Amino acid sequence: MELSIFQDRELAQKILQGIKREAERIGREVKLMHVCGTHEDTVTRSGIRSLLPENVKVMSGPGCPVCITPAEDIAAMMEIMRKAKEEGEEIILTTFGDMYKIPTAVGSFADLKSEGFDVRVVYSIYDSYKIALKEKDKLVVHFSPGFETTTAPAAGILKEVIEKGIENFKIYSVHRLTPPAVEALIKQGTVFDGLIDPGHVSTIIGVKGWEYITKEYGVPQVVAGFEPVDFLMGIFMLLRMIRKGEAKIENQYTRVVKYEGNVEAQRTIEALFDVVDAKWRALGVIPKSGLELKKEYKDYEVRTFYRVKPPELPDLEKGCICGAVLRGLALPTQCPLFGKKCTPRNPVGPCMVSYEGTCQIFYKYGALF
């Protein structure tokens, strides 16, 4: 199927007409949520909010894995680097470009780099793995954030590292699971009428991975792709379900997402990681939402070898409403710091740093939201 069809203006206009008809028939405000930075980029870049009927609202939830990585974990990794240096060991720290700049009360990995530590930005964990193969006399640690989409390749690389007995490669796991975060929002009282599920996460966990949200909480869901037509179709499908009083999950992204997901990736993740309660920055501890290496694979987790206790840190600076943005309770333009004190060049909160952060996306496409 040609990708251009999902960018077609005339098709988008026809779907918008359908959205308006469904919204009129519903006759009340409808709040829809997505939990994906790429979806937010599509929505804001395409000006989708401005095209929707007044009674249809689209809110952004916790769709940025870098934004929700706890400040304490960043601080702990920085302390590990310092402790290793004191003990005479050289560590090469790798992480992603947006994580490199995430601010905390004790600084960022970029600040650590400015102190002379070997911190490298990589595109994927595979790049880190290649560094470990090349720099065999140094320990390479990948600070490893991400939802299911990023966890799958991380698990694949770790499996190879373990099988080959490579000893100079470790991770600091801050991987998180998406559906438990949605469940936590519901339990915390965040109200939304329908959920648009991220297509890339769903390629791993499948439609099946989201089903319990609908079964247990009665929330209609649509798995959607990332082009404007994909997202608009997701909205239309949700509104149609809401108008009919149906609570089910539908798959708009059938060209990529299967009901069962990527079973091989699921098995690899389950073989290496245990599911644990985990903190999300600005959201608190969410039950069964984190992944840590199983006991038999702890030698590949850097914290096994370096015990540090970072100070208790505030999640956000005073005035930052990143927590409300991540909960779908506010949009970035409602923050008094947005575009003034807080910009991508001088970010106050994590949502302004990452390219998947709602605040940075709003800032980048400011004329369109």
Side-chain angles (χ1 to χ4, degrees):
M1 184 179 292
E2 290 284 340
L3 184 61
S4 59
I5 193 173
F6 298 99
Q7 301 166 341
D8 185 82
R9 184 184 296 271
E10 289 186 12
L11 180 55
Q13 290 174 341
K14 289 179 181 178
I15 298 171
L16 278 166
Q17 291 172 5
I19 288 172
K20 290 173 182 176
R21 285 195 298 270
E22 294 292 343
E24 286 177 7
R25 295 175 73 178
I26 292 171
R28 62 172 178 84
E29 182 175 280
V30 178
K31 182 181 287 188
L32 308 178
M33 178 180 281
H34 70 78
V35 286
C36 173
T38 311
H39 274 159
E40 184 56 44
D41 189 273
T42 298
V43 170
T44 307
R45 172 170 44 86
S46 304
I48 286 176
R49 286 189 179 90
S50 67
L51 302 174
L52 297 176
E54 281 290 321
N55 63 320
V56 178
K57 309 296 182 185
V58 175
M59 304 300 290
S60 177
C64 168
V66 167
C67 302
I68 58 86
T69 297
E72 291 88 349
D73 284 304
I74 297 171
M77 188 64 240
M78 293 170 72
E79 283 301 305
I80 288 171
M81 293 289 284
R82 294 188 178 103
K83 187 172 183 180
K85 186 175 182 179
E86 290 173 0
E87 296 176 1
E89 181 166 19
E90 286 190 69
I91 291 181
I92 299 172
L93 173 63
T94 66
T95 195
F96 304 131
D98 44 2
M99 178 59 74
Y100 176 74
K101 298 180 290 185
I102 289 289
T104 75
V106 294
S108 66
F109 292 146
D111 295 321
L112 195 67
K113 172 84 169 180
S114 70
E115 295 175 26
F117 289 90
D118 194 346
V119 184
R120 305 185 192 182
V121 172
V122 294
Y123 185 75
S124 72
I125 192 172
Y126 179 63
D127 294 332
S128 305
Y129 171 62
K130 288 192 293 184
I131 293 170
L133 294 180
K134 185 178 180 180
E135 305 268 4
K136 294 183 179 180
D137 58 334
K138 296 180 182 178
L139 176 63
V140 177
V141 178
H142 182 63
F143 190 83
S144 194
F147 297 145
E148 293 87 344
T149 318
T150 313
T151 303
I157 289 296
L158 282 170
K159 181 181 178 183
E160 184 167 338
V161 166
I162 293 165
E163 289 174 350
K164 291 184 175 180
I166 297 170
E167 297 182 354
N168 70 318
F169 184 82
K170 318 290 180 190
I171 67 167
Y172 188 120
S173 175
V174 278
H175 288 286
R176 298 292 185 264
L177 301 173
T178 314
V182 172
E183 182 179 18
L185 291 180
I186 295 170
K187 288 182 175 181
Q188 291 170 7
T190 298
V191 177
F192 49 92
D193 299 287
L195 179 69
I196 296 180
D197 300 322
H200 40 27
V201 166
S202 302
T203 63
I204 304 300
I205 69 173
V207 176
K208 183 179 180 180
W210 296 100
E211 281 185 324
Y212 81 98
I213 298 291
T214 294
K215 289 179 180 178
E216 295 186 21
Y217 302 102
V219 177
Q221 300 179 81
V222 172
V223 176
F226 302 105
E227 299 300 331
V229 165
D230 288 319
F231 199 87
L232 287 171
M233 195 63 197
I235 293 175
F236 172 76
M237 292 165 71
L238 279 176
L239 292 178
R240 185 174 57 188
M241 279 190 271
I242 293 166
R243 191 254 302 166
K244 291 181 177 180
E246 297 175 341
K248 59 183 181 179
I249 180 168
E250 296 182 344
N251 182 12
Q252 180 275 333
Y253 204 25
T254 54
R255 64 188 188 274
V256 174
V257 174
K258 299 177 181 178
Y259 171 76
E260 69 278 9
N262 187 327
V263 177
E264 184 62 32
Q266 293 169 22
R267 288 173 179 161
T268 304
I269 293 169
E270 289 167 3
L272 296 177
F273 290 94
D274 284 326
V275 177
V276 296
D277 298 347
K279 181 179 178 180
W280 294 49
R281 189 170 185 172
L283 296 177
V285 175
I286 297 179
K288 299 180 180 179
S289 68
L291 293 171
E292 66 176 31
L293 285 173
K294 290 180 178 291
K295 186 176 180 180
E296 57 265 40
Y297 302 121
K298 285 291 188 180
D299 282 352
Y300 297 92
E301 165 61 64
V302 70
R303 282 170 287 187
T304 301
F305 303 94
Y306 293 96
R307 301 287 183 175
V308 298
K309 188 175 182 181
E312 291 187 15
L313 300 174
D315 281 347
L316 305 169
E317 283 196 29
K318 186 177 181 181
C320 174
I321 67 165
C322 188
V325 172
L326 290 168
R327 286 183 170 87
L329 302 176
L331 292 174
T333 46
Q334 296 171 261
C335 180
L337 306 181
F338 176 78
K340 299 170 185 173
K341 184 179 178 182
C342 185
T343 67
R345 186 178 291 274
N346 295 293
V348 174
C351 297
M352 185 60 89
V353 179
S354 175
Y355 66 91
E356 291 186 304
T358 302
C359 294
Q360 188 186 112
I361 293 168
F362 264 58
Y363 189 92
K364 181 167 58 176
Y365 302 116
L368 299 176
F369 58 69

